[in-house]
Amino acid sequence: MAAVLALVLSACGGNGERGGSGPAAPASLDPKADLSKQRLTVSNWDGYMPKDLPARFKSSVGTPVTVAKHTTNEEIVAKLTASSDSGIDVAFVSGQYAQALAAQGLLEPIHHDLVPHLKNLDALASRLAHDKGNVYSVPYTWGTTGLCYRKDLAGYTPDSWNDLLKPRAALKKKITMLKTERWLFLPAQKALGYSVNTTDQQQLARVKELLLTAKKGLLAYDDTTFGDRLKSGETVLAEAWDGWCPTDDKRIGFVVPKEGSDLWTDTMVILKSSKNKEAAHAFINYILDAKVHSWVASNIFYKVPNDAAMAEVDPALFKKYPALAITPEQLVQGESVVDLGDASTAYTRIVTEVTAG
């Protein structure tokens, strides 16, 4: 899996920019196709869309949908690159992985005339660095990363990545950091004033050094249970994706550090190998319907780059989960995470060395 992933990521050397409004559907695609005769297989993270969405989509559009689940970007990328036809029509992947898959020629362009609900997207969602103009991907969620902390136990309000990396004595062994590759790097990169997409070997060496120092004060690397640990008091301070910081508990707060953070995006892509491209476009269009897309913000508390959908969210949730209230203008001040080409192997090696033992 690692070898396959490295091959895919290395294909996109440089960040590249794309523009335009996306290609129109070619003659090989029929805008009037009978979608009831097509079948879709969609791969997504567990719990990342409504369980009844396939049934509702079939009722609305006529296309049966089978949902496959993946746990990581690496897992789905390995599956998509293992053969010429993975059997997947639509996949949910993070932005930098969509960028790498597009560079390999594995993605169907998004034919904008087949996705009229693209008009619901915030204008800023067409300027994302991994795919400007939404040529090969459609953003599903977006957000940032910060510090999630127990207000009553921390004794102060953390506001710097150094609160995580060089913690006060009282917080040592009560801190967790994300283990996922790019987000393990993030705090040290920003604390040192580097780009989240740096490929400079000297900078990466300093990042590694700082991460090894920070490891001494950690309780764990934790991508999934840090919220429960915060609620129990086992953890006092955690690196967290905004939507996963459980601020519905009034004892818990979330802050974006003063050194800045990232802008991450999860996207929907259509595989070039799909035999059901008209239905795949219809599926993405259905997701972008305001009432459908608003489920994400209302249930998993991640912002969606869909103005119409965000307008459907109960205003009470913005008080309960303040990160939902971060505006698109504030969000895009974060640095977009993009594919790193050959340098991705250096990141993988450093993460392995830092987290070992």
Side-chain angles (χ1 to χ4, degrees):
M1 183 182 296
V4 171
L5 181 63
L7 177 62
V8 173
L9 294 178
S10 68
C12 193
N15 298 343
E17 291 190 1
R18 305 185 182 98
S21 59
S28 59
L29 295 186
D30 180 7
K32 298 181 180 179
D34 183 353
L35 300 183
S36 67
K37 295 182 179 180
Q38 298 191 17
R39 303 287 187 272
L40 286 180
T41 299
V42 176
S43 190
N44 198 354
W45 290 279
D46 189 23
Y48 216 37
M49 64 186 184
K51 291 183 178 180
D52 66 345
L53 190 142
R56 288 193 284 122
F57 179 71
K58 182 180 179 182
S59 176
S60 175
V61 176
T63 307
V65 177
T66 298
V67 177
K69 297 176 182 178
H70 55 263
T71 57
T72 65
N73 279 295
E74 290 81 2
E75 178 186 340
I76 184 59
V77 165
K79 184 173 184 178
L80 296 177
T81 57
S83 66
S84 60
D85 186 357
S86 64
I88 302 294
D89 298 289
V90 177
F92 287 68
V93 296
S94 295
Q96 67 270 31
Y97 292 87
Q99 182 184 9
L101 290 167
Q104 281 285 290
L106 297 176
L107 300 184
E108 176 73 11
I110 300 298
H111 304 296
H112 288 208
D113 52 337
L114 298 183
V115 192
H117 283 150
L118 281 169
K119 66 183 180 182
N120 289 339
L121 292 180
D122 189 281
L124 294 174
S126 67
R127 304 176 193 173
L128 300 171
H130 69 270
D131 183 16
K132 290 191 175 183
N134 308 131
V135 177
Y136 288 99
S137 63
V138 175
Y140 180 67
T141 55
W142 60 358
T144 190
T145 310
L147 301 175
C148 189
Y149 68 102
R150 278 287 294 265
K151 301 175 185 178
D152 55 331
L153 299 179
Y156 73 110
T157 300
D159 66 353
S160 169
W161 288 116
N162 284 314
D163 290 308
L164 192 79
L165 299 164
K166 301 176 181 178
R168 299 183 181 188
L171 268 62
K172 288 184 177 180
K173 297 300 181 179
K174 297 181 180 179
I175 294 173
T176 65
M177 287 179 62
L178 297 173
K179 188 175 183 179
T180 300
E181 197 166 280
R182 299 295 294 277
W183 287 273
L184 176 59
F185 274 71
L186 172 66
Q189 288 170 323
K190 286 301 180 182
L192 292 168
Y194 302 155
S195 167
V196 298
N197 300 307
T198 183
T199 58
D200 181 276
Q201 292 301 311
Q202 290 185 339
Q203 291 185 358
L204 291 177
R206 290 192 64 192
V207 166
K208 176 183 174 181
E209 182 181 351
L210 183 51
L211 290 174
L212 286 171
T213 299
K215 182 178 180 179
K216 300 172 185 176
L218 294 183
L219 170 66
Y221 297 105
D222 184 356
D223 284 7
T224 56
T225 65
F226 57 80
D228 292 334
R229 283 174 155 164
L230 282 161
K231 289 180 178 181
S232 71
E234 180 185 12
T235 295
V236 176
L237 179 63
E239 179 191 6
W241 295 296
D242 50 357
W244 280 22
C245 182
T247 51
D248 56 323
D249 186 324
K250 294 182 179 179
R251 302 171 300 172
I252 296 174
F254 177 82
V255 63
V256 176
K258 60 187 178 184
E259 297 91 352
S261 190
D262 66 329
L263 167 57
W264 60 260
T265 311
D266 287 337
T267 74
M268 299 175 282
V269 299
I270 298 173
L271 277 298
K272 177 73 73 175
S273 57
S274 171
K275 308 297 190 300
N276 308 287
K277 293 185 176 70
E278 292 91 348
H281 281 84
F283 180 82
I284 290 176
N285 190 59
Y286 185 80
I287 290 284
L288 294 181
D289 178 88
K291 292 188 181 300
V292 176
H293 208 180
S294 64
W295 178 93
V296 181
S298 299
N299 289 273
I300 58 177
F301 317 118
Y302 276 156
K303 294 174 292 299
V304 296
N306 182 326
D307 296 333
M310 291 302 293
E312 294 282 336
V313 179
D314 183 348
L317 286 178
F318 292 98
K319 294 181 179 180
K320 200 171 185 180
Y321 299 95
L324 276 177
I326 297 175
T327 67
E329 291 74 19
Q330 292 171 321
L331 195 60
V332 297
Q333 292 176 16
E335 188 179 7
S336 289
V337 180
V338 300
D339 172 48
L340 296 175
D342 291 332
S344 63
T345 56
Y347 274 62
T348 300
R349 174 179 50 79
I350 292 172
V351 166
T352 300
E353 293 170 354
V354 168
T355 59

PDB file of all heavy atoms in Angstrom, residues 131-148:
ATOM      1  N   ASP A 131      -7.148  22.197  -6.496  1.00  0.00           N
ATOM      2  CA  ASP A 131      -7.923  22.030  -7.735  1.00  0.00           C
ATOM      3  C   ASP A 131      -8.696  23.307  -8.016  1.00  0.00           C
ATOM      4  O   ASP A 131      -9.906  23.379  -7.819  1.00  0.00           O
ATOM      5  CB  ASP A 131      -8.871  20.836  -7.601  1.00  0.00           C
ATOM      6  CG  ASP A 131      -9.670  20.555  -8.872  1.00  0.00           C
ATOM      7  OD1 ASP A 131      -9.280  21.069  -9.936  1.00  0.00           O
ATOM      8  OD2 ASP A 131     -10.685  19.837  -8.794  1.00  0.00           O
ATOM      9  N   LYS A 132      -7.989  24.321  -8.493  1.00  0.00           N
ATOM     10  CA  LYS A 132      -8.648  25.593  -8.765  1.00  0.00           C
ATOM     11  C   LYS A 132      -9.637  25.440  -9.912  1.00  0.00           C
ATOM     12  O   LYS A 132      -9.320  24.882 -10.958  1.00  0.00           O
ATOM     13  CB  LYS A 132      -7.611  26.671  -9.078  1.00  0.00           C
ATOM     14  CG  LYS A 132      -6.786  27.064  -7.857  1.00  0.00           C
ATOM     15  CD  LYS A 132      -5.956  28.298  -8.103  1.00  0.00           C
ATOM     16  CE  LYS A 132      -5.240  28.721  -6.824  1.00  0.00           C
ATOM     17  NZ  LYS A 132      -4.460  29.972  -7.005  1.00  0.00           N
ATOM     18  N   GLY A 133     -10.844  25.921  -9.676  1.00  0.00           N
ATOM     19  CA  GLY A 133     -11.896  25.796 -10.666  1.00  0.00           C
ATOM     20  C   GLY A 133     -12.719  24.534 -10.539  1.00  0.00           C
ATOM     21  O   GLY A 133     -13.616  24.299 -11.344  1.00  0.00           O
ATOM     22  N   ASN A 134     -12.410  23.700  -9.532  1.00  0.00           N
ATOM     23  CA  ASN A 134     -13.154  22.451  -9.334  1.00  0.00           C
ATOM     24  C   ASN A 134     -13.207  21.644 -10.630  1.00  0.00           C
ATOM     25  O   ASN A 134     -14.262  21.193 -11.072  1.00  0.00           O
ATOM     26  CB  ASN A 134     -14.570  22.719  -8.824  1.00  0.00           C
ATOM     27  CG  ASN A 134     -14.610  23.615  -7.603  1.00  0.00           C
ATOM     28  OD1 ASN A 134     -15.360  24.583  -7.564  1.00  0.00           O
ATOM     29  ND2 ASN A 134     -13.791  23.317  -6.607  1.00  0.00           N
ATOM     30  N   VAL A 135     -12.044  21.440 -11.205  1.00  0.00           N
ATOM     31  CA  VAL A 135     -11.945  20.741 -12.486  1.00  0.00           C
ATOM     32  C   VAL A 135     -12.103  19.237 -12.321  1.00  0.00           C
ATOM     33  O   VAL A 135     -12.758  18.575 -13.127  1.00  0.00           O
ATOM     34  CB  VAL A 135     -10.598  21.064 -13.172  1.00  0.00           C
ATOM     35  CG1 VAL A 135     -10.451  20.292 -14.482  1.00  0.00           C
ATOM     36  CG2 VAL A 135     -10.487  22.557 -13.443  1.00  0.00           C
ATOM     37  N   TYR A 136     -11.513  18.678 -11.252  1.00  0.00           N
ATOM     38  CA  TYR A 136     -11.531  17.226 -11.049  1.00  0.00           C
ATOM     39  C   TYR A 136     -12.171  16.811  -9.720  1.00  0.00           C
ATOM     40  O   TYR A 136     -12.281  15.615  -9.448  1.00  0.00           O
ATOM     41  CB  TYR A 136     -10.112  16.652 -11.096  1.00  0.00           C
ATOM     42  CG  TYR A 136      -9.524  16.636 -12.478  1.00  0.00           C
ATOM     43  CD1 TYR A 136      -8.650  17.624 -12.898  1.00  0.00           C
ATOM     44  CD2 TYR A 136      -9.852  15.616 -13.378  1.00  0.00           C
ATOM     45  CE1 TYR A 136      -8.111  17.609 -14.181  1.00  0.00           C
ATOM     46  CE2 TYR A 136      -9.326  15.592 -14.665  1.00  0.00           C
ATOM     47  CZ  TYR A 136      -8.462  16.592 -15.058  1.00  0.00           C
ATOM     48  OH  TYR A 136      -7.929  16.567 -16.321  1.00  0.00           O
ATOM     49  N   SER A 137     -12.550  17.755  -8.911  1.00  0.00           N
ATOM     50  CA  SER A 137     -13.100  17.417  -7.597  1.00  0.00           C
ATOM     51  C   SER A 137     -14.115  18.450  -7.169  1.00  0.00           C
ATOM     52  O   SER A 137     -14.075  19.602  -7.604  1.00  0.00           O
ATOM     53  CB  SER A 137     -11.970  17.322  -6.561  1.00  0.00           C
ATOM     54  OG  SER A 137     -11.332  18.582  -6.405  1.00  0.00           O
ATOM     55  N   VAL A 138     -15.015  18.022  -6.302  1.00  0.00           N
ATOM     56  CA  VAL A 138     -16.022  18.924  -5.748  1.00  0.00           C
ATOM     57  C   VAL A 138     -15.884  18.893  -4.232  1.00  0.00           C
ATOM     58  O   VAL A 138     -15.964  17.822  -3.614  1.00  0.00           O
ATOM     59  CB  VAL A 138     -17.445  18.488  -6.155  1.00  0.00           C
ATOM     60  CG1 VAL A 138     -18.489  19.367  -5.471  1.00  0.00           C
ATOM     61  CG2 VAL A 138     -17.610  18.553  -7.676  1.00  0.00           C
ATOM     62  N   PRO A 139     -15.647  20.036  -3.595  1.00  0.00           N
ATOM     63  CA  PRO A 139     -15.452  20.041  -2.145  1.00  0.00           C
ATOM     64  C   PRO A 139     -16.727  19.644  -1.398  1.00  0.00           C
ATOM     65  O   PRO A 139     -17.824  20.090  -1.728  1.00  0.00           O
ATOM     66  CB  PRO A 139     -15.046  21.485  -1.844  1.00  0.00           C
ATOM     67  CG  PRO A 139     -15.549  22.291  -3.001  1.00  0.00           C
ATOM     68  CD  PRO A 139     -15.507  21.379  -4.187  1.00  0.00           C
ATOM     69  N   TYR A 140     -16.545  18.793  -0.409  1.00  0.00           N
ATOM     70  CA  TYR A 140     -17.659  18.273   0.400  1.00  0.00           C
ATOM     71  C   TYR A 140     -17.662  18.921   1.779  1.00  0.00           C
ATOM     72  O   TYR A 140     -18.709  19.343   2.278  1.00  0.00           O
ATOM     73  CB  TYR A 140     -17.499  16.755   0.514  1.00  0.00           C
ATOM     74  CG  TYR A 140     -18.566  16.044   1.327  1.00  0.00           C
ATOM     75  CD1 TYR A 140     -19.884  15.995   0.885  1.00  0.00           C
ATOM     76  CD2 TYR A 140     -18.248  15.383   2.509  1.00  0.00           C
ATOM     77  CE1 TYR A 140     -20.860  15.316   1.619  1.00  0.00           C
ATOM     78  CE2 TYR A 140     -19.203  14.697   3.238  1.00  0.00           C
ATOM     79  CZ  TYR A 140     -20.521  14.665   2.789  1.00  0.00           C
ATOM     80  OH  TYR A 140     -21.480  13.993   3.512  1.00  0.00           O
ATOM     81  N   THR A 141     -16.510  18.965   2.406  1.00  0.00           N
ATOM     82  CA  THR A 141     -16.354  19.645   3.692  1.00  0.00           C
ATOM     83  C   THR A 141     -15.044  20.422   3.657  1.00  0.00           C
ATOM     84  O   THR A 141     -14.159  20.138   2.850  1.00  0.00           O
ATOM     85  CB  THR A 141     -16.286  18.647   4.863  1.00  0.00           C
ATOM     86  OG1 THR A 141     -15.245  17.701   4.606  1.00  0.00           O
ATOM     87  CG2 THR A 141     -17.595  17.914   5.060  1.00  0.00           C
ATOM     88  N   TRP A 142     -14.935  21.411   4.531  1.00  0.00           N
ATOM     89  CA  TRP A 142     -13.665  22.106   4.693  1.00  0.00           C
ATOM     90  C   TRP A 142     -13.558  22.602   6.128  1.00  0.00           C
ATOM     91  O   TRP A 142     -14.555  22.742   6.832  1.00  0.00           O
ATOM     92  CB  TRP A 142     -13.479  23.217   3.679  1.00  0.00           C
ATOM     93  CG  TRP A 142     -14.484  24.350   3.655  1.00  0.00           C
ATOM     94  CD1 TRP A 142     -15.601  24.502   4.429  1.00  0.00           C
ATOM     95  CD2 TRP A 142     -14.446  25.484   2.782  1.00  0.00           C
ATOM     96  NE1 TRP A 142     -16.272  25.645   4.097  1.00  0.00           N
ATOM     97  CE2 TRP A 142     -15.587  26.286   3.094  1.00  0.00           C
ATOM     98  CE3 TRP A 142     -13.580  25.912   1.790  1.00  0.00           C
ATOM     99  CZ2 TRP A 142     -15.858  27.479   2.425  1.00  0.00           C
ATOM    100  CZ3 TRP A 142     -13.859  27.112   1.132  1.00  0.00           C
ATOM    101  CH2 TRP A 142     -14.984  27.870   1.445  1.00  0.00           C
ATOM    102  N   GLY A 143     -12.335  22.799   6.552  1.00  0.00           N
ATOM    103  CA  GLY A 143     -12.147  23.219   7.937  1.00  0.00           C
ATOM    104  C   GLY A 143     -10.695  23.525   8.222  1.00  0.00           C
ATOM    105  O   GLY A 143      -9.864  23.646   7.325  1.00  0.00           O
ATOM    106  N   THR A 144     -10.396  23.616   9.506  1.00  0.00           N
ATOM    107  CA  THR A 144      -9.040  23.917   9.932  1.00  0.00           C
ATOM    108  C   THR A 144      -8.707  23.062  11.150  1.00  0.00           C
ATOM    109  O   THR A 144      -9.511  22.254  11.603  1.00  0.00           O
ATOM    110  CB  THR A 144      -8.885  25.422  10.241  1.00  0.00           C
ATOM    111  OG1 THR A 144      -7.511  25.732  10.425  1.00  0.00           O
ATOM    112  CG2 THR A 144      -9.674  25.829  11.482  1.00  0.00           C
ATOM    113  N   THR A 145      -7.517  23.241  11.670  1.00  0.00           N
ATOM    114  CA  THR A 145      -7.015  22.445  12.783  1.00  0.00           C
ATOM    115  C   THR A 145      -6.541  23.392  13.872  1.00  0.00           C
ATOM    116  O   THR A 145      -5.990  24.454  13.578  1.00  0.00           O
ATOM    117  CB  THR A 145      -5.845  21.548  12.315  1.00  0.00           C
ATOM    118  OG1 THR A 145      -6.240  20.844  11.149  1.00  0.00           O
ATOM    119  CG2 THR A 145      -5.444  20.559  13.397  1.00  0.00           C
ATOM    120  N   GLY A 146      -6.777  23.016  15.122  1.00  0.00           N
ATOM    121  CA  GLY A 146      -6.364  23.896  16.210  1.00  0.00           C
ATOM    122  C   GLY A 146      -6.198  23.165  17.521  1.00  0.00           C
ATOM    123  O   GLY A 146      -5.953  21.952  17.542  1.00  0.00           O
ATOM    124  N   LEU A 147      -6.338  23.906  18.592  1.00  0.00           N
ATOM    125  CA  LEU A 147      -6.166  23.380  19.943  1.00  0.00           C
ATOM    126  C   LEU A 147      -7.526  23.220  20.603  1.00  0.00           C
ATOM    127  O   LEU A 147      -8.317  24.156  20.683  1.00  0.00           O
ATOM    128  CB  LEU A 147      -5.294  24.327  20.771  1.00  0.00           C
ATOM    129  CG  LEU A 147      -3.893  24.595  20.220  1.00  0.00           C
ATOM    130  CD1 LEU A 147      -3.185  25.655  21.069  1.00  0.00           C
ATOM    131  CD2 LEU A 147      -3.071  23.313  20.169  1.00  0.00           C
ATOM    132  N   CYS A 148      -7.792  22.023  21.076  1.00  0.00           N
ATOM    133  CA  CYS A 148      -9.018  21.687  21.781  1.00  0.00           C
ATOM    134  C   CYS A 148      -8.609  21.449  23.240  1.00  0.00           C
ATOM    135  O   CYS A 148      -7.698  20.644  23.500  1.00  0.00           O
ATOM    136  CB  CYS A 148      -9.619  20.434  21.152  1.00  0.00           C
ATOM    137  SG  CYS A 148     -11.270  19.972  21.685  1.00  0.00           S
TER     138      CYS A 148
END
